[in-house]
């Protein structure tokens, strides 16, 4: 049943986003990924990862990219029957450029490029609010902690090396958290409207949920649709500004359907000659930009 009302239709599309790819047959999923191939040569295959598709399996996950790599390998032209290999990961809710390798050797080579920070990654995110300053670097270590609440859960959070002294307001160094990982994210604002901003992000390190944590807790600008990192002590739908709700034609009670607006927009891979892959944001992301009147910069 497709609703007539465009707002209802948009809501239904959003609510279905996460479920869609969990319900298809693995062969169908491999076919979808084949259609989303951006580039292939004898070493690599680059795909545009869809929303809501995890890279690895886990409890309650029927479909993931790792499981369909052998099927996808057989579907691609001039392909040996070897399965494809993962080189890096994107969160289940993140869309965009993802590199797969055609052999174990190629995968190891590319993983090393990621590890030694030779791969340039550019993301786009729609965030709530406006970062201050509008361009900069967030360099705050990140650690995983248990949130003690009526629904205890784990999430990543900041573990800063400095804090303000309550007596005189001076910056003082504090003892390092042994479990924290160094994390560095460059950001700059591309557009702002409707109490939101479109940011370009370059993670220099690759800590789990790094961009989401740096934006929400470091800059105070959580990603639109990031229901996990919009609050610290509870798991609850994101609270949106009035103006944002009005532009999106959403009620606050329906905010839980908003997907995470984080997209791996571009990736530069130094394999022989540098390979540069660019991927347009998915339709729901483009629609949000239009509704919020955030103008995509022309490349």
């Amino acid at each position: 049943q497709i609703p007539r009302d465009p707002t209802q239709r948009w809501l239904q599309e959003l609510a279905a986003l996460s479920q869609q790819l969990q319900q298809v047959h693995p062969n169908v999923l491999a076919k979808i990924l084949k259609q989303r191939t951006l580039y292939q040569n004898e070493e690599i295959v680059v795909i545009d990862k869809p929303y809501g598709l995890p890279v690895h399996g886990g409890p309650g996950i029927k479909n993931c990219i790792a499981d369909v790599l052998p099927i996808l390998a057989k579907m691609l032209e001039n392909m040996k029957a070897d399965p494809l290999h993962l080189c890096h990961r994107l969160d289940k809710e993140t869309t965009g450029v993802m590199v797969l390798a055609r052999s174990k050797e190629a995968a190891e080579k590319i993983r090393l490029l990621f590890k030694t920070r030779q791969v340039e990654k550019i993301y786009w995110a729609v965030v709530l609010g406006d970062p201050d300053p509008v361009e900069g670097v967030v360099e705050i270590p990140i650690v995983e902690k248990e949130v003690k609440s009526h629904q205890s859960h784990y999430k990543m959070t900041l573990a800063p090396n400095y804090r303000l002294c309550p007596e005189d307001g001076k910056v003082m160094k504090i003892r390092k958290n042994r479990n924290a990982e160094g994390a560095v994210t460059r950001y700059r604002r591309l557009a702002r409207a409707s109490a939101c901003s479109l940011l370009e992000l370059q993670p220099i390190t690759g800590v789990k949920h790094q961009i989401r944590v740096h934006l929400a807790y470091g800059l105070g600008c959580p990603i639109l649709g990031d229901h996990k990192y919009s609050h610290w002590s509870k798991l609850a739908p994101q609270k949106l500004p009035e103006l944002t709700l009005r532009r999106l034609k959403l009620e606050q009670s329906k905010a839980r359907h908003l997907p995470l607006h984080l997209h791996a927009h571009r990736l530069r891979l130094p394999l022989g000659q540098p390979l540069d892959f660019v991927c347009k944001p998915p339709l729901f992301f483009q629609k949000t930009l239009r509704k919020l009147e955030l103008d995509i910069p022309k490349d």
Side-chain angles (χ1 to χ4, degrees):
Q1 207 49 46
I2 294 172
R4 282 238 177 95
D5 171 36
T7 304
Q8 288 298 21
R9 199 160 56 231
W10 161 241
L11 252 179
Q12 196 175 17
E13 282 168 26
L14 294 181
L17 259 180
S18 283
Q19 275 76 56
Q20 280 162 345
L21 295 171
Q22 284 303 307
Q23 286 158 1
V24 299
H25 189 277
N27 289 356
V28 176
L29 181 57
K31 207 169 185 175
I32 291 168
L33 295 180
K34 181 186 182 227
Q35 287 161 353
R36 299 176 74 102
T37 300
L38 304 171
Y39 174 86
Q40 52 177 320
N41 65 14
E42 47 297 334
E43 276 198 298
I44 60 170
V45 174
V46 181
I47 60 167
D48 170 8
K49 180 192 164 302
Y51 183 86
L53 180 61
V55 173
H56 296 284
I61 289 171
K62 183 169 166 256
N63 279 333
C64 68
I65 291 178
D67 288 353
V68 298
L69 291 182
I71 311 171
L72 178 61
K74 291 197 179 84
M75 287 182 177
L76 293 166
E77 301 86 74
N78 61 34
M79 200 44 203
K80 304 195 291 295
D82 299 354
L84 292 156
H85 301 262
L86 295 167
C87 302
H88 62 119
R89 56 181 303 156
L90 291 175
D91 287 351
K92 174 185 166 190
E93 293 91 0
T94 306
T95 55
V97 185
M98 187 167 177
V99 181
L100 306 167
R102 292 192 138 165
S103 67
K104 225 178 180 150
E105 300 73 48
E108 276 163 16
K109 189 160 77 178
I110 292 162
R111 279 183 208 131
L112 187 63
L113 290 174
F114 273 97
K115 205 174 165 184
T116 52
R117 303 179 190 168
Q118 294 181 64
V119 180
E120 190 182 321
K121 299 168 286 184
I122 301 288
Y123 288 75
W124 280 1
V126 178
V127 302
L128 301 184
D130 195 17
D132 179 20
V134 295
E135 185 169 338
V137 177
V138 181
E139 186 170 352
I140 309 173
I142 289 176
V143 70
E144 188 161 30
K145 276 197 179 160
E146 185 177 6
V147 180
K148 298 264 201 278
S149 66
H150 65 288
Q151 273 175 291
S152 278
H153 58 287
Y154 283 88
K155 57 169 79 158
M156 309 305 281
T157 189
L158 302 177
N161 292 331
Y162 299 90
R163 69 185 179 91
L164 293 179
C165 174
E167 283 79 52
D168 57 9
K170 285 195 175 137
V171 173
M172 55 188 273
K173 204 162 171 44
I174 51 180
R175 208 173 75 211
K176 263 190 166 164
N177 183 319
R178 275 208 317 274
N179 303 321
E181 291 183 74
V184 184
T185 310
R186 273 199 194 121
Y187 72 92
R188 73 186 177 104
R189 190 184 71 193
L190 300 175
R192 61 179 283 204
S194 319
C196 292
S197 303
L198 172 64
L199 302 187
E200 178 185 87
L201 303 142
Q202 186 184 0
I204 310 297
T205 51
V207 179
K208 179 181 171 187
H209 295 173
Q210 171 181 322
I211 291 177
R212 296 165 66 178
V213 172
H214 271 173
L215 290 180
Y217 302 151
L219 285 172
C221 293
I223 297 177
L224 183 66
D226 194 346
H227 307 293
K228 180 167 188 167
Y229 289 107
S230 289
H231 320 271
W232 166 247
S233 58
K234 57 184 179 182
L235 289 169
Q238 189 174 47
K239 186 110 179 62
L240 297 178
E242 275 303 312
L243 178 58
T244 311
L245 288 168
R246 222 170 35 243
R247 288 272 162 84
L248 290 173
K249 296 195 165 72
L250 270 188
E251 292 156 36
Q252 177 56 47
S253 61
K254 299 282 192 278
R256 66 181 189 281
H257 294 305
L258 271 181
L260 183 77
H261 284 66
L262 179 61
H263 173 69
H265 173 59
R266 184 174 192 166
L267 192 133
R268 276 177 75 92
L269 199 58
L271 271 186
Q273 86 280 27
L275 297 168
D276 205 346
F277 307 108
V278 175
C279 196
K280 275 203 326 228
L283 276 174
F284 78 83
F285 195 118
Q286 294 178 41
K287 265 190 188 171
T288 298
L289 291 176
R290 278 201 302 275
K291 285 171 183 264
L292 295 176
E293 297 174 11
L294 286 165
D295 295 326
I296 286 200
K298 298 281 174 274
D299 275 349

